[in-house]
């Protein structure tokens, strides 16, 4: 096979690679050769820092698996019960994992998936590529984290997929991949955690989620990587008729992070509630690109995303709604609210609507503002110190998203990270809430 300018960014093909794996790699590299990597002229990448991304691609080499102890994994990602899959630099770590194989849920690395599940993994691998980073991920020959929920399954505990970045002395790139399939009328909860050790790295992730007819998925995507990491994330969701998705994205780490999340409605009466929060400081750059692609009638989508920006950080939100020809009874909404805490911070918000049908209810709204002076005055007039009052208002802003997260162990884990990143005073999230409630009744 001919070499391409991108071969050095993916691991060499293993000697025991199957024909399907080889074909996937060949197709993906051919796609990049034909289409290239994203540029500023590609609308979904308009706000991304292309110079830094190009420099990282030029310098990086594939990251090897490195040893990490269980205590480190649990301190970075939390303990949430249920099965857990751990991948370090994109390589499966069986000693850190607690994989499951039951009548309700199978989860493990793709190379160990039973034959009847291999077809579902291959189906995800065959989905249409959207950009060069996603193609690079597919070209890498590593295992995917696979979660398959059987039809009608209702497991009690969430499945936890942990992708951990362990940097080396030079810049390295990893390509973690996750495939989730929720069978007909099944109801599951899945947590995707992207965490890491200190150091520079490029993390290029890809997730595919398929919801069968009547399936329900509660999904949380949490990115808390080290502040020298570049994280490029892509998620594709395909929803069949009457399926329900509730997904929350939390972006707290990395110096540059991109979260592209696309939902495609393939069956009628499906719903997707998408929420997220970005908390940035210093010179962090976070981009969120959400697409709701209404290709079936009578579907509902809602996007509600918030950013808290301090220092010289910059966030962007692009909320893309597509309503295809011939689709009727569409209900689609998006909201983006940004809280600027410094004069040098920046927030970009872009509604992006492509409506090719008439029977549509579609709303969008965006705000960029600072802390409410009247609220600050109110709190200080009741004896609350200025720094505590500021923390209470920030906490109230993000609470609407954080408090919807289940299980409680994950919610508490995130509260601790947010508090450590933004607290002006040494007081916990729950203590802030109790103080606010006290003021409401006083």
């Amino acid at each position: 096979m001919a070499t391409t300018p991108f071969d050095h960014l993916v691991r060499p093909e293993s000697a025991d690679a199957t024909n399907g794996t080889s074909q996937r790699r060949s197709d993906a590299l051919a796609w990049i050769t034909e289409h290239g990597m994203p540029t500023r002229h590609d609308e979904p990448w308009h706000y991304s820092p292309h110079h830094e991304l190009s420099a990282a691609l030029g310098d990086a080499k594939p990251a090897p698996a490195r040893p990490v102890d269980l205590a480190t994994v649990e301190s970075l990602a939390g303990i949430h019960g249920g099965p857990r899959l751990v991948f370090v630099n994109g390589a499966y770590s069986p000693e850190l994992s607690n994989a499951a194989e039951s009548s309700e849920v199978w989860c493990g690395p793709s190379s160990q998936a039973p034959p009847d599940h291999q077809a579902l993994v291959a189906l995800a691998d065959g989905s249409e590529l959207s950009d060069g980073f996603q193609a690079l991920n597919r070209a890498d020959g590593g295992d995917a984290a696979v979660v398959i929920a059987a039809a009608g399954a209702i497991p009690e505990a969430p499945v936890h997929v942990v992708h951990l970045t362990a940097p080396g002395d030079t810049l390295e790139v990893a390509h973690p991949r996750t495939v989730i399939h929720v069978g007909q009328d099944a109801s599951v909860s899945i947590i995707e955690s992207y965490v890491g050790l200190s150091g520079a790295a490029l993390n290029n992730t890809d997730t595919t989620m398929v919801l069968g007819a009547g399936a329900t998925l509660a999904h949380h995507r949490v990115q808390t990587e080290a502040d020298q990491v570049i994280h490029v994330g892509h998620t594709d969701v395909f929803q069949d008729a009457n399926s329900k998705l509730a997904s929350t994205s939390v972006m707290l780490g990395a110096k540059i992070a991109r979260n592209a999340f696309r939902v495609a409605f393939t069956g009628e009466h499906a719903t997707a509630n998408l929420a997220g929060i970005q908390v940035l400081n210093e010179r962090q750059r976070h981009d969120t690109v959400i697409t709701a692609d209404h290709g079936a009638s009578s579907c509902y989508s809602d996007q509600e995303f918030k950013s808290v920006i301090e220092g010289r950080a910059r966030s962007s939100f692009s909320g893309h709604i597509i309503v295809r020809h011939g689709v009727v009874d569409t209900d689609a909404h998006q909201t983006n609210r940004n809280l600027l805490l410094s004069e040098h911070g920046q927030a970009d918000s872009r509604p992006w609507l492509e409506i090719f049908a008439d029977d549509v209810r579609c709303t969008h709204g965006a705000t960029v503002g600072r802390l409410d002076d009247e609220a600050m005055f109110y709190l200080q007039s009741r004896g609350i110190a200025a720094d505590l009052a500021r923390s209470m208002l920030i906490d109230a802003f993000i609470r609407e998203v954080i408090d919807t997260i289940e299980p409680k162990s994950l919610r508490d884990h995130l509260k601790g990270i947010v508090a450590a990143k933004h607290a002006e005073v040494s007081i916990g999230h729950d203590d802030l809430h109790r103080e606010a409630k006290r003021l409401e009744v006083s």
Side-chain angles (χ1 to χ4, degrees):
M1 178 182 171
T3 60
T4 76
F6 308 99
D7 287 14
H8 71 285
L9 294 169
V10 297
R11 285 173 287 185
E13 192 171 87
S14 64
D16 57 352
T18 63
N19 288 337
T21 302
S22 297
Q23 189 62 48
R24 184 186 74 200
R25 176 188 178 89
S26 175
D27 291 346
L29 289 173
W31 193 99
I32 304 173
T33 302
E34 179 181 357
H35 299 279
M37 298 301 290
T39 72
R40 193 173 299 281
H41 301 295
D42 297 307
E43 280 297 323
W45 293 80
H46 178 76
Y47 293 110
S48 298
H50 295 272
H51 176 72
E52 289 91 335
L53 293 177
S54 297
L57 288 174
D59 296 338
K61 62 179 182 180
R66 290 194 171 88
V68 178
D69 62 70
L70 183 60
T72 299
V73 174
E74 294 182 343
S75 67
L76 292 172
I79 304 171
H80 310 302
R84 177 177 61 204
L85 302 179
V86 180
F87 288 71
V88 179
N89 289 343
Y92 180 59
S93 175
E95 63 273 15
L96 299 175
S97 300
N98 176 25
E101 184 175 353
S102 69
S103 59
E104 289 197 313
V105 174
W106 185 94
C107 64
S110 55
S111 62
Q112 298 177 17
D116 55 333
H117 293 342
Q118 291 286 356
L120 298 174
V121 178
L123 185 66
D125 286 343
S127 61
E128 184 178 358
L129 295 169
S130 62
D131 58 58
F133 280 94
Q134 191 182 27
L136 268 180
N137 184 290
R138 297 275 178 86
D140 191 71
D143 268 342
V146 177
V147 181
I148 308 285
I154 310 180
E156 292 183 3
V159 178
H160 192 190
V161 179
V162 180
H163 289 295
L164 190 148
T165 301
D169 296 332
T170 60
L171 186 65
E172 297 172 339
V173 57
H175 304 280
R177 191 163 61 95
T178 304
V179 175
I180 297 166
H181 190 284
V182 186
Q184 181 176 346
D185 296 323
S187 179
V188 298
S189 175
I190 295 176
I191 303 166
E192 273 190 284
S193 292
Y194 294 93
V195 300
L197 307 178
S198 180
L202 173 57
N203 206 17
N204 175 35
T205 78
D206 183 58
T207 298
T208 303
M209 304 193 293
V210 180
L211 279 66
T216 300
L217 174 60
H219 170 252
H220 302 299
R221 186 183 194 279
V222 179
Q223 188 276 112
T224 59
E225 292 167 313
D227 57 9
Q228 295 170 281
V229 166
I230 296 175
H231 178 103
V232 180
H234 185 104
T235 302
D236 276 322
V237 188
F238 301 94
Q239 289 193 237
D240 207 341
N242 298 302
S243 60
K244 298 178 181 178
L245 170 68
S247 180
T248 304
S249 301
V250 178
M251 296 172 67
L252 302 176
K255 68 172 182 179
I256 297 171
R258 185 176 192 272
N259 175 30
F261 200 103
R262 181 185 182 93
V263 176
F265 294 108
T266 59
E268 296 183 349
H269 299 287
T271 65
N273 288 283
L274 313 174
I277 188 163
Q278 305 175 103
V279 181
L280 308 85
N281 58 13
E282 298 180 350
R283 292 182 178 271
Q284 283 184 291
R285 290 283 302 266
H286 284 180
D287 297 332
T288 298
V289 182
I290 306 298
T291 301
D293 188 344
H294 289 258
S297 297
S298 303
C299 293
Y300 173 86
S301 67
D302 184 71
Q303 306 173 22
E304 183 173 359
F305 284 77
K306 294 183 173 185
S307 293
V308 178
I309 305 139
E310 194 164 26
R312 294 182 177 274
R314 179 178 179 180
S315 77
S316 75
F317 171 82
S318 295
H320 193 187
I321 296 174
I322 306 171
V323 183
R324 303 287 178 179
H325 287 289
V327 171
V328 299
D329 190 27
T330 295
D331 201 352
H333 308 278
Q334 63 176 228
T335 305
N336 176 226
R337 288 193 282 166
N338 300 280
L339 182 59
L340 275 176
L341 300 177
S342 68
E343 60 178 314
H344 297 295
Q346 183 172 338
D348 298 291
S349 184
R350 176 176 59 164
W352 186 4
L353 310 179
E354 295 183 76
I355 312 296
F356 302 103
D358 294 327
D359 187 7
V360 174
R361 289 180 296 278
C362 182
T363 64
H364 61 86
T367 61
V368 179
R370 302 184 185 282
L371 287 176
D372 189 325
D373 290 337
E374 290 188 7
M376 282 290 291
F377 175 78
Y378 170 82
L379 292 172
Q380 291 181 267
S381 68
R382 279 150 179 80
I384 303 296
D387 52 359
L388 178 56
R390 187 172 185 268
S391 293
M392 291 174 68
L393 293 177
I394 296 171
D395 180 77
F397 182 75
I398 64 174
R399 176 175 287 277
E400 292 176 17
V401 175
I402 296 289
D403 279 0
T404 64
I405 292 174
E406 292 289 347
K408 183 177 183 299
S409 57
L410 178 60
R411 189 165 66 244
D412 290 343
H413 180 71
L414 292 173
K415 287 175 181 177
I417 296 174
V418 172
K421 185 167 186 174
H422 255 289
E424 299 295 314
V425 293
S426 118
I427 183 169
H429 185 85
D430 290 334
D431 292 330
L432 285 172
H433 184 55
R434 279 192 288 272
E435 183 67 7
K437 296 294 291 183
R438 184 188 68 77
L439 287 170
E440 287 175 6
V441 299
S442 63

